[in-house]
Amino acid sequence: MQESKLFICPKCGKELNIRERSYYCENGHCYDIARAGYVNLVLGSKRTPSGDGETSIAARRNVMAAGYYNKLYEYIEQLPPKGAFLDIGTADGSLPGRLSEIFPDVEFYGTDLSKFAIERAAKTYKKVCFAVANNAKLPFKEQSFDMLSAVFTTVFPAEIGRVLKRGGLFIKVTPGKDHLIELRRVLYDSVRENVADETLPHGFSHISQVDLQDKFFVGKDLMPELIRMTPYGVKSSKSRLNAAADGEGEISLDFRVDIYRKED
């Protein structure tokens, strides 16, 4: 695991320091580093597994390997990343993992509520510091990061503002109106249009907004995986899921990317 000086204790908020295979705060709270090389900073006596399950994460990994997010990742590469970069809701860790190979001088972090996701990510991308963490209470010091990305994940603007440095960039990615539209038409009688949240986070200025659109051929071998990595699999009837899983063809990708700068 990449050692970090940015973590804080989720119980008391004090700085965490590494000693052997654990992180400790001055109040004696301890968080062990897992064998895979990540730390779990979600509170709870049993730390009940939350977030995406193992099946969903494995499916996502296979779809990502086929280049599903390439256009989005290439856009973020051109910004370019700098300083300390945090990807929240990182899932399989493919975004910070890919960036860490291209920008070796940048310090990359990835967090997700799913232990299954972070364990897989940590085993794969050794140059990234991964932690199981909640977006609503990020276990980092104030003004830790120069850049923060959130791709298709729940955001809490106050927390993002707390951990970003002044002048830091917040990259928010949400699904555009045509994202996976072909799949949604098979799964639902009426397709709801994805509506972007236009609310400007307090203390931020809106720098830019761009729509990235692409087509992605999905064969019969990958279609069931694509369905499993989306929320559609638990919201559709079995007959519609079977019909969709047996299909193949071009699927639309539509990413809305909003970039904000922290001003205060």
Side-chain angles (χ1 to χ4, degrees), residues 3-6 83-86 103-109 145:
E3 181 178 350
S4 173
K5 295 291 186 182
L6 300 181
F85 186 112
L86 170 63
F103 303 96
D105 295 331
V106 177
E107 189 177 353
F108 288 99
Y109 289 76
F145 297 99

Side-chain angles (χ1 to χ4, degrees), residues 12-255:
C12 64
K14 298 295 185 181
E15 179 181 354
L16 288 176
N17 292 294
I18 198 167
R19 189 164 71 245
E20 296 181 353
R21 295 288 301 174
S22 300
Y23 277 95
Y24 293 86
C25 73
E26 63 183 49
N27 291 325
H29 301 131
C30 174
Y31 307 90
D32 294 334
I33 298 172
R35 187 173 299 177
Y38 66 92
V39 61
N40 190 337
L41 296 176
V42 172
L43 295 179
S45 57
K46 296 184 179 179
R47 298 191 185 184
T48 303
S50 301
D52 290 337
E54 198 164 7
T55 301
S56 174
I57 293 301
R60 178 187 172 94
R61 183 73 173 273
N62 292 335
V63 175
M64 293 299 104
Y68 178 62
Y69 275 17
N70 278 358
K71 191 162 189 175
L72 172 63
Y73 290 1
E74 288 166 2
Y75 178 79
I76 295 175
E77 288 167 16
Q78 294 170 14
L79 291 177
K82 63 178 182 179
F85 186 112
L86 170 63
D87 182 46
I88 64 172
T90 195
D92 66 329
S94 55
L95 173 56
R98 171 171 167 156
L99 295 176
S100 70
E101 296 297 329
I102 302 171
F103 303 96
D105 295 331
V106 177
E107 189 177 353
F108 288 99
Y109 289 76
T111 62
D112 201 283
L113 192 57
S114 169
K115 176 185 173 183
F116 300 118
I118 290 298
E119 185 167 20
R120 276 181 170 264
K123 287 178 178 178
T124 306
Y125 304 109
K126 300 299 184 181
K127 297 178 182 179
V128 181
C129 186
F130 288 107
V132 181
N134 193 324
N135 289 357
K137 191 176 181 182
L138 296 169
F140 298 102
K141 299 175 184 177
E142 293 184 5
Q143 299 193 56
S144 288
F145 297 99
D146 299 277
M147 302 179 77
L148 184 150
S149 59
V151 181
F152 294 1
T153 190
T154 304
V155 300
F156 296 85
E159 268 300 271
I160 292 169
R162 184 183 66 81
V163 301
L164 265 181
K165 296 176 182 177
R166 182 175 297 177
L169 297 183
F170 168 34
I171 307 158
K172 180 182 176 183
V173 183
T174 52
K177 65 182 182 66
D178 290 331
H179 190 65
L180 305 184
I181 186 66
E182 298 85 357
L183 180 59
R184 290 188 285 140
R185 284 172 177 160
V186 174
L187 294 174
Y188 304 113
D189 287 324
S190 60
V191 178
R192 293 183 180 180
E193 184 175 316
N194 294 319
V195 179
D197 181 3
E198 303 284 355
T199 306
L200 180 66
H202 178 71
F204 285 81
S205 59
H206 193 202
I207 302 302
S208 65
Q209 186 264 311
V210 64
D211 293 306
L212 303 175
Q213 297 173 330
D214 203 359
K215 293 283 187 179
F216 181 69
F217 181 81
V218 182
K220 289 188 176 182
D221 58 332
L222 200 59
M223 188 66 77
E225 303 278 64
L226 177 61
I227 294 170
R228 276 194 286 270
M229 69 165 274
T230 72
Y232 310 143
V234 296
K235 297 180 179 179
S236 307
S237 68
K238 186 174 182 180
S239 60
R240 286 181 179 269
L241 285 172
N242 289 338
D246 195 44
E248 65 178 2
E250 283 197 332
I251 299 291
S252 297
L253 304 178
D254 190 354
F255 304 102

